[in-house]
Amino acid sequence: ATRLSALVDAGPEAISFVDGQWRYVYVNLAFERMSQVTDDIIGQSMWEAFPQLLGTEYEQQLREMMVERQPTELEYRVANKTFDIRVMPFGDGVAFFTREVTDLRRANEEMRRNEERFRAILNDAPGGVMLLDRANQVLEVNSAALRLFELEESGDLVGRSIAPFVSEQDLKQIEGIIDSMTPQERENPD
């Protein structure tokens, strides 16, 4: 039991258990750090320890989960922080496994915005644009490039080698450009 407790305490995930009366029966060190409490919280009601949760959608979701006894995943936001919380029935109570995902959410949102900008640029470009990997496989293509190759849909080109669609001389130029941009060893397209 001591080794298991040490392992759970060493992990990055905040873990806590409450009984059927919402009283804390276990919290690990990550929970203490994340919630800024000490293990004095043991025996205290979740709603006494965190009264700001009362009357929130989060409270409602937790109470429903306690009745339904089904595992669920929740997102909780507070003070510019976002937490992913996996909640599972445990005994007559509930086990919480919590990770702060603020930076991950921000990075995902930034990536989504960049993807939107990229797609807008790609799709609005008047000339044919194709993205190729080092093995000359087409990753992306815009509608102007499809017209250039007299193709109907991007699926006719994406995922295929560009080689059948261009002359040998053009293929050598493409490979030279790719080589100059990617110092890594070229992948074998075979």
Side-chain angles (χ1 to χ4, degrees), residues 23-71:
R23 291 183 304 253
Y24 283 99
V25 294
Y26 175 81
V27 297
N28 73 346
L29 291 175
F31 177 87
E32 291 177 20
R33 283 190 300 270
M34 189 178 291
S35 61
Q36 299 175 347
V37 299
T38 65
D39 64 359
D40 293 341
I41 198 170
I42 301 300
Q44 191 174 11
S45 160
M46 179 180 197
W47 314 119
E48 292 169 354
F50 302 104
Q52 67 273 21
L53 299 177
L54 290 170
T56 65
E57 182 180 341
Y58 183 70
E59 177 196 12
Q60 180 182 352
Q61 292 171 326
L62 288 177
R63 290 190 185 277
E64 287 173 11
M65 205 271 350
M66 181 74 90
V67 171
E68 294 171 5
R69 311 301 295 161
Q70 294 295 316

Coordinates of all heavy atoms in Angstrom, one line a residue, residues 23-71:
R23 N -17.7 13.5 1.1 CA -16.5 13.8 1.9 C -15.3 13.2 1.3 O -15.2 12.0 0.9 CB -16.8 13.2 3.3 CG -17.9 13.8 4.1 CD -18.0 13.2 5.5 NE -18.2 11.8 5.4 CZ -19.3 11.2 5.7 NH1 -20.3 11.8 6.1 NH2 -19.4 9.9 5.5
Y24 N -14.2 14.0 1.4 CA -12.9 13.5 0.9 C -12.4 12.4 1.7 O -12.3 12.5 3.0 CB -11.9 14.7 0.8 CG -12.1 15.6 -0.4 CD1 -12.8 16.8 -0.2 CD2 -11.7 15.2 -1.6 CE1 -13.0 17.6 -1.3 CE2 -11.9 16.0 -2.7 CZ -12.6 17.2 -2.6 OH -12.8 18.0 -3.6
V25 N -12.0 11.3 1.1 CA -11.4 10.2 1.8 C -9.9 10.0 1.4 O -9.2 9.3 2.0 CB -12.2 8.9 1.6 CG1 -13.6 9.0 2.3 CG2 -12.3 8.5 0.2
Y26 N -9.5 10.6 0.2 CA -8.2 10.5 -0.2 C -7.9 11.6 -1.2 O -8.7 12.0 -2.0 CB -7.9 9.1 -1.0 CG -6.5 9.1 -1.5 CD1 -5.4 8.8 -0.8 CD2 -6.3 9.4 -2.9 CE1 -4.1 8.8 -1.3 CE2 -5.0 9.4 -3.4 CZ -3.9 9.1 -2.6 OH -2.7 9.1 -3.1
V27 N -6.7 12.2 -1.1 CA -6.2 13.1 -2.1 C -4.7 12.9 -2.2 O -4.0 12.6 -1.2 CB -6.4 14.6 -1.7 CG1 -7.9 14.9 -1.6 CG2 -5.8 15.0 -0.4
N28 N -4.2 13.0 -3.4 CA -2.7 12.8 -3.6 C -2.0 14.2 -3.6 O -2.7 15.2 -3.5 CB -2.4 12.0 -4.9 CG -2.6 12.8 -6.1 OD1 -3.3 13.8 -6.2 ND2 -2.1 12.2 -7.2
L29 N -0.7 14.2 -3.6 CA 0.0 15.4 -3.6 C -0.3 16.4 -4.7 O -0.3 17.6 -4.6 CB 1.5 15.1 -3.5 CG 2.0 14.5 -2.2 CD1 3.5 14.1 -2.4 CD2 1.8 15.4 -1.0
A30 N -0.5 15.8 -5.9 CA -0.8 16.6 -7.1 C -2.1 17.4 -6.9 O -2.3 18.5 -7.2 CB -0.9 15.8 -8.4
F31 N -3.1 16.7 -6.2 CA -4.4 17.4 -5.9 C -4.1 18.5 -4.9 O -4.7 19.6 -5.1 CB -5.4 16.3 -5.3 CG -6.7 17.0 -4.9 CD1 -7.7 17.1 -5.8 CD2 -6.8 17.4 -3.6 CE1 -8.9 17.7 -5.4 CE2 -8.0 18.0 -3.2 CZ -9.1 18.2 -4.2
E32 N -3.3 18.3 -3.9 CA -3.0 19.3 -2.9 C -2.4 20.5 -3.6 O -2.8 21.7 -3.3 CB -2.1 18.8 -1.8 CG -2.8 17.7 -0.9 CD -1.8 17.2 0.1 OE1 -0.8 17.8 0.4 OE2 -2.1 16.1 0.6
R33 N -1.4 20.3 -4.5 CA -0.8 21.4 -5.2 C -1.8 22.1 -6.1 O -1.8 23.3 -6.1 CB 0.4 20.9 -6.0 CG 1.6 20.6 -5.2 CD 2.8 20.3 -6.1 NE 2.7 19.2 -7.0 CZ 3.0 17.9 -6.7 NH1 3.5 17.6 -5.5 NH2 2.8 16.9 -7.5
M34 N -2.5 21.3 -6.9 CA -3.4 21.9 -7.9 C -4.6 22.7 -7.2 O -4.9 23.8 -7.7 CB -4.1 20.8 -8.8 CG -4.8 21.3 -9.9 SD -5.5 20.0 -11.0 CE -4.0 19.3 -11.7
S35 N -5.1 22.2 -6.1 CA -6.2 22.9 -5.5 C -5.8 23.8 -4.3 O -6.7 24.4 -3.7 CB -7.2 21.8 -5.0 OG -6.6 21.0 -4.0
Q36 N -4.6 23.8 -4.0 CA -4.0 24.6 -3.0 C -4.6 24.3 -1.6 O -5.0 25.2 -0.8 CB -4.1 26.1 -3.3 CG -3.3 26.4 -4.6 CD -3.5 27.8 -5.0 OE1 -4.4 28.6 -4.6 NE2 -2.7 28.2 -6.0
V37 N -4.8 23.0 -1.3 CA -5.3 22.5 0.0 C -4.2 21.6 0.6 O -3.3 21.2 -0.1 CB -6.6 21.8 -0.1 CG1 -7.7 22.8 -0.6 CG2 -6.6 20.6 -0.9
T38 N -4.4 21.2 1.8 CA -3.6 20.2 2.4 C -4.4 18.9 2.7 O -5.6 18.9 2.4 CB -3.0 20.7 3.7 OG1 -4.1 20.8 4.7 CG2 -2.2 22.0 3.6
D39 N -3.8 17.9 3.2 CA -4.5 16.7 3.4 C -5.5 16.9 4.6 O -6.2 15.9 5.0 CB -3.6 15.5 3.6 CG -2.7 15.6 4.8 OD1 -2.7 16.6 5.5 OD2 -2.0 14.6 5.0
D40 N -5.5 18.1 5.2 CA -6.6 18.4 6.2 C -8.0 18.3 5.6 O -9.0 18.3 6.3 CB -6.3 19.8 6.8 CG -5.1 19.8 7.7 OD1 -4.6 18.8 8.1 OD2 -4.6 20.9 7.9
I41 N -8.0 18.3 4.3 CA -9.3 18.2 3.6 C -10.0 16.9 3.8 O -11.2 16.8 3.7 CB -9.1 18.6 2.1 CG1 -10.4 19.0 1.5 CG2 -8.5 17.4 1.4 CD1 -10.3 19.5 0.1
I42 N -9.2 15.9 4.2 CA -9.8 14.5 4.4 C -10.9 14.7 5.5 O -10.7 15.2 6.6 CB -8.7 13.5 4.9 CG1 -7.6 13.4 3.8 CG2 -9.4 12.2 5.2 CD1 -8.1 12.9 2.5
G43 N -12.1 14.1 5.1 CA -13.3 14.1 6.0 C -14.2 15.3 5.8 O -15.3 15.4 6.2
Q44 N -13.6 16.3 5.0 CA -14.4 17.5 4.8 C -15.3 17.3 3.5 O -14.8 16.6 2.6 CB -13.5 18.7 4.6 CG -14.1 20.0 4.5 CD -13.1 21.2 4.4 OE1 -11.9 21.0 4.2 NE2 -13.6 22.4 4.6
S45 N -16.4 17.9 3.5 CA -17.3 17.8 2.3 C -16.7 18.6 1.1 O -16.1 19.6 1.3 CB -18.7 18.3 2.6 OG -19.4 18.7 1.4
M46 N -16.8 18.0 -0.1 CA -16.4 18.7 -1.3 C -17.0 20.1 -1.3 O -16.4 21.1 -1.7 CB -16.7 17.9 -2.5 CG -16.4 18.5 -3.8 SD -16.9 17.3 -5.1 CE -15.9 17.9 -6.4
W47 N -18.3 20.2 -1.0 CA -19.0 21.4 -1.1 C -18.6 22.5 0.0 O -18.7 23.7 -0.2 CB -20.5 21.2 -1.1 CG -20.9 20.0 -2.0 CD1 -21.5 18.9 -1.6 CD2 -20.7 19.9 -3.4 NE1 -21.6 18.0 -2.7 CE2 -21.2 18.7 -3.8 CE3 -20.1 20.7 -4.3 CZ2 -21.1 18.2 -5.1 CZ3 -20.0 20.3 -5.7 CH2 -20.5 19.0 -6.0
E48 N -18.1 22.0 1.1 CA -17.6 22.9 2.1 C -16.2 23.3 1.7 O -15.8 24.5 1.9 CB -17.5 22.1 3.5 CG -18.8 21.8 4.1 CD -18.6 20.8 5.3 OE1 -17.5 20.3 5.6 OE2 -19.6 20.6 5.9
A49 N -15.4 22.4 1.2 CA -14.0 22.8 0.8 C -14.0 23.7 -0.4 O -13.2 24.6 -0.5 CB -13.3 21.5 0.5
F50 N -15.0 23.5 -1.3 CA -15.0 24.4 -2.5 C -16.5 24.9 -2.8 O -17.2 24.5 -3.7 CB -14.6 23.5 -3.8 CG -13.2 23.0 -3.6 CD1 -13.0 21.6 -3.3 CD2 -12.1 23.8 -3.7 CE1 -11.8 21.1 -3.1 CE2 -10.8 23.2 -3.6 CZ -10.6 21.9 -3.3
P51 N -16.9 25.8 -1.9 CA -18.3 26.4 -2.0 C -18.6 27.1 -3.3 O -19.7 27.2 -3.7 CB -18.4 27.3 -0.8 CG -17.0 27.7 -0.5 CD -16.1 26.5 -0.8
Q52 N -17.5 27.5 -4.0 CA -17.7 28.1 -5.3 C -18.3 27.2 -6.3 O -18.8 27.6 -7.4 CB -16.4 28.8 -5.8 CG -15.4 27.8 -6.2 CD -14.4 27.4 -5.1 OE1 -14.8 27.5 -3.9 NE2 -13.3 26.9 -5.4
L53 N -18.3 25.9 -6.1 CA -18.9 24.9 -7.0 C -20.4 24.8 -6.9 O -21.1 24.3 -7.8 CB -18.2 23.5 -6.8 CG -16.7 23.4 -7.0 CD1 -16.3 22.0 -6.7 CD2 -16.4 23.8 -8.4
L54 N -20.9 25.2 -5.7 CA -22.3 25.1 -5.5 C -23.1 26.0 -6.5 O -22.8 27.1 -6.8 CB -22.7 25.5 -4.0 CG -22.2 24.6 -3.0 CD1 -22.3 25.2 -1.6 CD2 -22.9 23.2 -3.1
G55 N -24.2 25.4 -7.0 CA -25.0 26.1 -7.9 C -24.5 26.2 -9.4 O -25.1 26.9 -10.2
T56 N -23.4 25.5 -9.6 CA -22.8 25.6 -11.0 C -23.3 24.4 -11.8 O -23.8 23.4 -11.3 CB -21.3 25.6 -10.9 OG1 -20.8 24.3 -10.4 CG2 -20.8 26.7 -10.1
E57 N -23.1 24.5 -13.1 CA -23.3 23.3 -14.0 C -22.4 22.1 -13.6 O -22.9 21.0 -13.7 CB -23.1 23.7 -15.4 CG -23.4 22.6 -16.4 CD -23.1 23.0 -17.9 OE1 -23.1 24.2 -18.2 OE2 -23.0 22.1 -18.7
Y58 N -21.2 22.4 -13.1 CA -20.3 21.4 -12.7 C -20.9 20.6 -11.6 O -20.8 19.4 -11.6 CB -19.0 22.1 -12.4 CG -17.9 21.1 -12.0 CD1 -17.3 20.3 -12.9 CD2 -17.4 21.0 -10.7 CE1 -16.3 19.4 -12.6 CE2 -16.4 20.1 -10.3 CZ -15.9 19.3 -11.2 OH -14.9 18.4 -10.9
E59 N -21.5 21.3 -10.6 CA -22.1 20.6 -9.4 C -23.2 19.7 -9.9 O -23.3 18.5 -9.5 CB -22.7 21.6 -8.4 CG -23.4 20.9 -7.3 CD -24.3 21.8 -6.5 OE1 -24.6 22.9 -6.9 OE2 -24.8 21.3 -5.4
Q60 N -24.0 20.2 -10.8 CA -25.2 19.4 -11.4 C -24.7 18.2 -12.1 O -25.2 17.1 -11.9 CB -26.0 20.3 -12.3 CG -27.2 19.6 -12.9 CD -27.9 20.5 -13.9 OE1 -27.6 21.7 -14.1 NE2 -28.8 19.9 -14.6
Q61 N -23.6 18.3 -12.9 CA -23.1 17.2 -13.6 C -22.5 16.1 -12.6 O -22.7 14.9 -12.8 CB -22.0 17.6 -14.6 CG -22.5 18.5 -15.7 CD -21.3 19.1 -16.5 OE1 -20.3 19.4 -16.0 NE2 -21.5 19.2 -17.8
L62 N -21.9 16.6 -11.6 CA -21.3 15.7 -10.6 C -22.4 14.9 -9.9 O -22.3 13.7 -9.7 CB -20.4 16.4 -9.6 CG -19.1 16.9 -10.2 CD1 -18.3 17.6 -9.1 CD2 -18.2 15.7 -10.7
R63 N -23.4 15.6 -9.5 CA -24.5 15.0 -8.7 C -25.3 14.0 -9.6 O -25.6 12.9 -9.2 CB -25.5 16.0 -8.2 CG -24.9 16.9 -7.1 CD -25.9 17.7 -6.3 NE -25.3 18.6 -5.4 CZ -25.0 18.2 -4.1 NH1 -25.2 17.0 -3.7 NH2 -24.4 19.1 -3.3
E64 N -25.4 14.3 -10.9 CA -26.0 13.3 -11.8 C -25.1 12.1 -12.0 O -25.6 11.0 -12.0 CB -26.2 14.0 -13.2 CG -27.4 15.0 -13.3 CD -27.4 15.7 -14.6 OE1 -26.7 15.4 -15.6 OE2 -28.2 16.7 -14.6
M65 N -23.9 12.3 -12.1 CA -22.9 11.2 -12.2 C -23.0 10.3 -10.9 O -23.0 9.1 -11.0 CB -21.5 11.7 -12.4 CG -20.6 10.7 -13.1 SD -19.6 9.5 -12.3 CE -19.6 9.7 -10.6
M66 N -23.1 10.9 -9.8 CA -23.2 10.1 -8.5 C -24.4 9.2 -8.5 O -24.3 8.1 -8.1 CB -23.2 11.1 -7.3 CG -23.2 10.3 -6.0 SD -21.6 9.6 -5.5 CE -20.8 10.9 -4.6
V67 N -25.5 9.7 -9.0 CA -26.7 9.0 -9.1 C -26.7 7.9 -10.2 O -27.0 6.7 -10.0 CB -28.0 9.9 -9.3 CG1 -29.2 9.1 -9.6 CG2 -28.2 10.8 -8.1
E68 N -26.2 8.3 -11.4 CA -26.2 7.4 -12.5 C -25.1 6.3 -12.4 O -25.2 5.3 -13.1 CB -26.1 8.2 -13.8 CG -27.3 9.0 -14.1 CD -27.1 10.0 -15.3 OE1 -26.0 9.9 -15.9 OE2 -28.0 10.8 -15.5
R69 N -24.0 6.7 -11.7 CA -22.9 5.7 -11.5 C -22.3 5.4 -12.8 O -21.9 4.2 -13.0 CB -23.4 4.5 -10.7 CG -24.2 4.7 -9.5 CD -23.5 5.5 -8.4 NE -22.3 4.8 -7.9 CZ -21.3 5.4 -7.3 NH1 -21.4 6.7 -7.1 NH2 -20.3 4.8 -6.8
Q70 N -22.1 6.3 -13.7 CA -21.5 6.1 -15.0 C -20.2 7.0 -15.1 O -20.3 8.2 -14.8 CB -22.4 6.4 -16.2 CG -23.6 5.5 -16.3 CD -23.2 4.1 -16.6 OE1 -22.3 3.9 -17.5 NE2 -23.8 3.1 -16.0
P71 N -19.1 6.4 -15.5 CA -17.9 7.3 -15.7 C -18.2 8.4 -16.7 O -19.0 8.2 -17.6 CB -16.9 6.3 -16.3 CG -17.4 4.9 -16.0 CD -18.9 5.1 -15.9

